[in-house]
Amino acid sequence: QRVAQGRVMLGLALVCNALAAVAMRQGALGHSAVVRAPAMPRAEIALKLSKRMALAEKSVDSEKLYTPEEALAVMMKVASTKFVETAEAHIRLNIDPKYNDQQIRTTVSLPKGTGKTVRVAVLADGAMAEAARAAGADLVGMDDLVESISKGDLDFDVLVATPPAMPKIAKLGRVLGPKGLMPSPKAGTVTTDVA
């Protein structure tokens, strides 16, 4: 397990601090962010490194402070597997979650998406239904869509509802809730702008 941690440690530290810098630019942090490659002591990692890990270790200077752009460039250069690698970021924000004003919970839309095609269903009628169809919604309807959802036909990934549809889908909470499909204003899936 320590070997796996050592292999991942290189890319993770670079990405974590790069994402912290992005968050800082967005105003979430009050200080500048720099990236420091993790020091990888030989006692914690297997003595014999693979060729890939040795190359990765040579590419990073553990004493140098990298800018986020440099860190991402190094991480992309070091990536050498035949599959699409994943980078995970853990950012320490020095907040106390006991206080409501210090809690952070949000979602981020990636600029180029995740590569997954998303099927969108829209509960609307009239002009809003036409706007949803024009915007490319996969399923559009009101009573007929509510009926099919109540029968268990959940052939969509996201359900967007207009405010007039909310009383009609209140009874669908037991079907939509466990699957995380229930529209809510906080998630931005209850809106009058369906286009």
Side-chain angles (χ1 to χ4, degrees):
Q1 189 176 15
R2 288 181 186 237
V3 173
Q5 288 174 348
R7 287 179 180 170
V8 174
M9 193 173 8
L10 176 69
L12 291 183
L14 296 175
V15 171
C16 290
N17 288 321
L19 290 175
V22 171
M24 183 260 324
R25 285 188 199 134
Q26 299 297 324
L29 301 175
H31 56 83
S32 62
V34 290
V35 178
R36 182 180 297 278
M40 293 184 270
R42 288 280 150 241
E44 292 186 18
I45 300 176
L47 293 176
K48 181 171 173 151
L49 293 176
S50 68
K51 291 178 186 176
R52 191 172 80 81
M53 188 60 191
L55 178 66
E57 194 175 66
K58 286 180 190 174
S59 301
V60 177
D61 180 11
S62 62
E63 297 300 317
K64 181 182 175 188
L65 295 177
Y66 291 87
T67 65
E69 292 79 14
E70 291 173 334
L72 288 173
V74 169
M75 190 180 81
M76 295 299 288
K77 185 178 96 176
V78 170
S80 61
T81 59
K82 295 179 182 175
F83 57 88
V84 178
E85 295 176 317
T86 301
E88 186 175 302
H90 298 261
I91 302 171
R92 187 171 296 159
L93 298 175
N94 293 327
I95 60 173
D96 191 354
K98 287 188 269 184
Y99 300 105
N100 288 336
D101 62 334
Q102 293 186 23
Q103 291 181 358
I104 297 176
R105 185 174 185 176
T106 186
T107 58
V108 176
S109 297
L110 299 174
K112 295 187 180 179
T114 60
K116 179 183 174 188
T117 57
V118 179
R119 290 184 46 90
V120 178
V122 178
L123 283 168
D125 55 359
M128 286 192 239
E130 293 304 318
R133 279 191 190 92
D138 297 305
L139 299 170
V140 179
M142 183 62 90
D143 295 325
D144 56 335
L145 191 54
V146 169
E147 185 68 30
S148 68
I149 292 171
S150 65
K151 290 180 182 174
D153 182 21
L154 301 175
D155 191 25
F156 51 86
D157 300 313
V158 177
L159 179 63
V160 178
T162 56
M166 288 307 289
K168 294 183 181 187
I169 63 170
K171 62 183 178 183
L172 300 176
R174 290 186 179 176
V175 177
L176 297 172
K179 301 205 183 285
L181 297 172
M182 190 70 172
S184 72
K186 186 175 180 181
T189 52
V190 176
T191 181
T192 55
D193 182 23
V194 293

